[in-house]
Amino acid sequence: LSSRTSAAEKEMGGAEQREKQYRAHQGFGDHHGRVTGAHTYFYADEAKCDQHMETFLHCIDASSGSSEDGFSAIKLTALARPQFLVRFSEVLVKWRRFFHQMAAEQGQAGWAVLDTKLEVEKLQEALANLGIVSKAESQQWFMGENLGTSGTVDLLDWNSLFNSRTKLSRPLLIPNRKTGQLESLLSRFSEEEELQMKRVLQRMDVLAKRAMEKGVRLMVDAEQSYFQPAISRLTVETQRRFNRSQPIIYNTYQCYLKEAYNNVTGDMELSRREGWHFGTKLVRGAYMEQERERAAQMGYEDPINPNYEKTNEMYHRCLDYILEEIKHTRKASVMVASHNEDTVKFTLRRMMELGIHPSDKKVCFGQLLGMCDQITFPLGQAGFPVYKYVPYGPVNEVLPYLSRRAQENRGFMQRANRERDLLWKEVKRRLLTGNLFS
């Protein structure tokens, strides 16, 4: 729990000023609890993060040595102090929320993310009236970043004003919607905490360079919603550097989140503007029970879609958007990481309709080792790139993970029975045709 509390908060008691979703909470000091579909890491110190990085490097080497076009997965909670990820996530969410507040004042409340554009003149006046910056100072924001040349600023322009590679303690005031008072976007960071962003970016750079050297694609796994904004932002920063000619870095989008479609479309639009390849893995999500329990206990809005059907709709909506991009630009790639047969059939149908051929290697599939072979093997035999996600580690750590995955996958036993029946049917077919071992 202490690894999620900043030195400044410990000294000055500033925890109550934090957004509820981003506060450390005693009941969730163990962020492993009620997590079904993922392994979680616990922060010890920076040396342990470096050890994790070395392990990931070995995994990249192993993937390179075992197959062509392989993947290796990493988790940023293994490479960074949770307190930094939570604090940075809070900043990014507050900054985005401030943009939408300004949009509402310009009559654009509820608009789609990519359709929302602030008029620069009105924005500058609003910032001056709020006492945040003078019109002359805000002009420098847009001139320095070469933004607003069209007379408008969208969310991507807005986000670029907050550069994750600059010092986080840069003073910036925004209005608190509840109190109406100006407050610091980010409370004071210590010098040690300032170094945390540099360290995690350096570790990601090391891993990305090794992946590029070895011809391995690096997937950054998604994690809890209070870590995820920072994880996605850091991943996009790495994609901007390493995905110039091909997709080396893959971001992960959890489609059980209400914000999934906005996140996918926003990041893809950024890749279009900057000319890099958009690489993504789509999952439904692994932290649902924990997320809902935490939201209820701490009193903030549940970030998860209300039911499984809505999550399916979100998954297919995000996937369809990516497939359309593949058809039109060929600069996007997606791993459909799913044990859901309907989702696999949906993907195959849309690929055929859009003229995306398996040999293009823009769409691949992934299932967990030991699960849903009746999906994996026919896909491979039909020429589709398909991968088995391989858990590794000490037995006492891997078996609980696998048992949780079995619990998580609805109807897992039914599918296992079906797979057994299919195997028995194939054995009988081969016996009758005299081709048992062919």
Side-chain angles (χ1 to χ4, degrees), residues 90-222:
E90 182 181 23
V91 170
L92 294 170
V93 168
K94 280 185 175 180
W95 188 239
R96 185 167 64 225
R97 190 179 295 155
F98 183 31
F99 172 86
H100 289 298
Q101 185 179 337
M102 295 291 98
E105 292 182 6
Q106 293 193 17
Q108 300 181 41
W111 287 25
V113 168
L114 295 181
D115 293 334
T116 307
K117 293 178 171 58
L118 304 182
E119 294 182 33
V120 173
E121 284 287 334
K122 291 182 179 179
L123 175 60
Q124 289 177 317
E125 289 175 9
L127 293 172
N129 291 338
L130 287 168
I132 296 173
V133 287
S134 68
K135 197 166 182 179
E137 289 172 322
S138 64
Q139 185 69 32
Q140 291 300 312
W141 286 10
F142 303 111
M143 293 297 291
E145 299 286 346
N146 196 28
L147 302 174
T149 52
S150 64
T152 61
V153 171
D154 65 12
L155 183 60
L156 298 181
D157 297 326
W158 183 255
N159 284 342
S160 70
L161 292 171
F162 190 84
N163 187 344
S164 63
R165 288 182 181 268
T166 62
K167 284 179 71 67
L168 286 177
S169 57
R170 173 184 174 187
L172 184 60
L173 300 177
I174 61 171
N176 183 310
R177 290 185 301 170
K178 294 180 180 178
T179 65
Q181 301 295 313
L182 291 179
E183 60 182 35
S184 176
L185 179 64
L186 182 68
S187 55
R188 180 174 64 88
F189 260 41
S190 68
E191 187 174 337
E192 168 61 23
E193 290 161 340
E194 290 283 358
L195 291 173
Q196 287 168 15
M197 175 171 289
K198 293 179 183 176
R199 288 177 182 146
V200 69
L201 283 169
Q202 286 169 351
R203 292 178 185 122
M204 290 183 74
D205 281 357
V206 169
L207 294 172
K209 286 175 182 175
R210 179 69 67 87
M212 183 173 279
E213 289 168 6
K214 296 289 186 176
V216 172
R217 288 163 291 180
L218 198 62
M219 293 190 306
V220 181
D221 275 345

Side-chain angles (χ1 to χ4, degrees), residues 386-423:
V386 60
Y387 294 82
K388 281 299 196 184
Y389 196 100
V390 184
Y392 60 89
V395 171
N396 64 328
E397 291 185 19
V398 175
L399 277 181
Y401 163 78
L402 290 173
S403 67
R404 293 196 305 271
R405 291 310 303 262
Q407 292 171 357
E408 170 210 11
N409 279 275
R410 290 184 175 187
F412 171 72
M413 290 311 298
Q414 290 92 323
R415 284 201 295 273
N417 290 336
R418 184 181 173 202
E419 188 169 352
R420 181 198 61 195
D421 293 341
L422 289 170
L423 288 168

Side-chain angles (χ1 to χ4, degrees), residues 23 52 62 100 108 161 226 242 260 269 273 303 404 413:
R23 292 178 191 170
H52 288 149
H100 289 298
Q108 300 181 41
L161 292 171
Y226 42 89
F242 290 92
E269 175 60 22
R273 292 183 189 182
R404 293 196 305 271
M413 290 311 298

